[in-house]
Amino acid sequence: MTEIVLAHDYLVQVGGAERVVAEWAAGFEATRVVTLAYRPETTFDAFRDLDVRATIPPALSGQVERMLPALPAIAARTTVTGGDVALVSSSGWAHRFRFEIPHVVYVHSPARWLYAADDYRMRLSAIRRAGLTVSTPILRRGDAEAMARATAVIANSEVTRERIRAAYGLESAVVHPPVEPVATDAVAPARVIADAFAVVVARDRGYKNVPLAVDAARAAGLSIAVVGSGSESLDDPAAGVHGLGRVGDSELCWLYRNAEVVVGAGREDFGLTVLEAALEGTPAATVAAGGYLETVRPGVSGAHAASATVADLADAIRAARMSDPDEVRRWGRAFRRDAHVARINAVIGATSDRA
């Protein structure tokens, strides 16, 4: 059996990429993860049972996103060895590690801070934006050289494949992320939420466009639960907006099961949350862009908005609520972990045959 070592940018948050790595650990029976930083208290509990090897000391792990100028050098000194092949989860850093074994890079998105400046730099101070602008040509060159060293490159969606082609001039296979129920048991949040509500799951990133999701849900006559780091700032129960912040998987499972619809308003590379909700029978209403074109099938698992406006997204919410929960579940099951693992193994096998 092929021994797989996992690599990931940094394990300090609860997000779709981190959930993919957790599913890999189970699906490939991998026990070791190499990463830049690890904070057990702020990421998935599944990593506590693994051998996580982080380059950045624990005391600095919470500051990793502020260490951008130094991260290319730190990544280059992060060595991955042992095992037969490394399976690399990258949104900008892990493919830069120093690999002493063959490595297959699974790209969630080419680095937003290099190739989608409007998405990433809006969160930076003026000084940091200026510094990043000046250094971008050099950083892009090193980024491309690192990606070119991969034994094989996999995109998580068609839109990401196009971004890989544009950023690196490389071709890649498309393998959708693995989607499993987020929890077996559902536990209601301590907060009281209206009987009819929508849910949006997104960290505090401008490109997630949470305000549009909130306004559209309210226009469609629903309260909305907002889940993710930073969502507390949106909390306004009197207006039907419940900013819950980070929640546990059991609470997220309850929200998925009990919501009328999950809303996606941002520019997603894939859109994992809409499929997690689909496994619970809950349809999605999203903008018709990016990964949502692959993760939502109109008339089956939800609806797409005609445009990224409050009125059109509200119409999509109303249409999505007409979906058959059984059809929604069947759609979600097509993205389960076993299918994903089989496709990844096929890519790994093909690279071994060429070696």
Side-chain angles (χ1 to χ4, degrees), residues 36 58 63 173 191-192 295 326:
L36 289 176
Q63 304 298 315
R191 291 273 300 274
V192 175
T295 56
D326 289 335

Side-chain angles (χ1 to χ4, degrees), residues 191-194 197 223-227 231 234-238 240-245:
R191 291 273 300 274
V192 175
I193 300 175
F197 69 94
S223 296
I224 184 165
V226 187
V227 176
S231 63
L234 300 173
D235 193 42
D236 188 358
V241 182
H242 303 275
L244 303 181

Side-chain angles (χ1 to χ4, degrees), residues 10-15 18 39 42-44 65 203 205:
Y10 38 81
L11 296 171
V12 300
Q13 59 196 7
V14 175
E18 290 74 28
R39 293 189 73 204
T42 59
T43 189
F44 292 108
E65 290 193 340
R203 296 194 304 276
R205 298 288 189 272

Side-chain angles (χ1 to χ4, degrees), residues 12-289:
V12 300
Q13 59 196 7
V14 175
E18 290 74 28
R19 196 178 288 280
V20 167
V21 179
E23 293 297 341
W24 281 354
F28 293 101
E29 298 182 3
T31 60
R32 182 156 31 111
V33 184
V34 179
T35 189
L36 289 176
Y38 177 43
R39 293 189 73 204
E41 66 274 19
T42 59
T43 189
F44 292 108
D45 289 341
F47 299 121
R48 295 176 184 268
D49 296 327
L50 304 179
D51 176 12
V52 179
R53 303 186 182 186
T55 305
I56 295 171
L60 298 176
S61 62
Q63 304 298 315
V64 64
E65 290 193 340
R66 297 179 179 273
M67 300 170 67
L68 178 60
L71 287 182
I74 297 173
R77 293 198 301 270
T78 300
T79 302
V80 182
T81 188
D84 300 306
V85 63
L87 183 55
V88 186
S89 161
S90 182
S91 298
W93 297 112
H95 67 282
R96 289 172 171 259
F97 294 173
R98 186 173 67 190
F99 294 92
E100 297 183 358
I101 55 176
H103 64 289
V104 173
V105 179
Y106 188 85
V107 181
H108 303 282
S109 174
R112 289 186 181 276
W113 49 275
L114 286 178
Y115 306 103
D118 291 342
D119 287 349
Y120 184 86
R121 298 180 196 184
M122 66 180 71
R123 301 187 301 117
L124 302 179
S125 67
I127 293 175
R128 294 179 70 199
R129 281 198 302 271
L132 188 54
T133 298
V134 170
S135 60
T136 287
I138 296 173
L139 291 171
R140 281 187 176 180
R141 186 160 55 249
D143 186 65
E145 291 171 355
M147 189 66 76
R149 290 194 290 269
T151 309
V153 179
I154 302 174
N156 70 345
S157 66
E158 291 292 343
V159 68
T160 299
R161 176 158 66 177
E162 290 302 318
R163 290 175 180 170
I164 291 169
R165 186 179 290 129
Y168 305 116
L170 298 174
E171 295 301 320
S172 54
V174 173
V175 179
H176 292 135
V179 185
E180 292 291 305
V182 296
T184 302
D185 299 321
V187 176
R191 291 273 300 274
V192 175
I193 300 175
D195 289 340
F197 69 94
V199 63
V200 58
V201 183
R203 296 194 304 276
D204 183 20
R205 298 288 189 272
Y207 64 89
K208 299 290 188 179
N209 209 358
V210 173
L212 173 58
V214 170
D215 291 344
R218 300 304 294 131
L222 293 175
S223 296
I224 184 165
V226 187
V227 176
S229 175
S231 63
E232 301 92 334
S233 65
L234 300 173
D235 193 42
D236 188 358
V241 182
H242 303 275
L244 303 181
R246 287 185 56 213
V247 301
D249 282 348
S250 295
E251 291 175 300
L252 182 58
C253 181
W254 186 94
L255 291 165
Y256 281 150
R257 287 184 186 178
N258 289 277
E260 297 290 318
V261 61
V262 60
V263 185
R267 297 188 296 277
E268 291 289 351
D269 308 302
F270 181 67
L272 191 68
T273 61
V274 300
L275 291 171
E276 292 173 344
L279 291 175
E280 305 300 337
T282 298
T286 74
V287 296

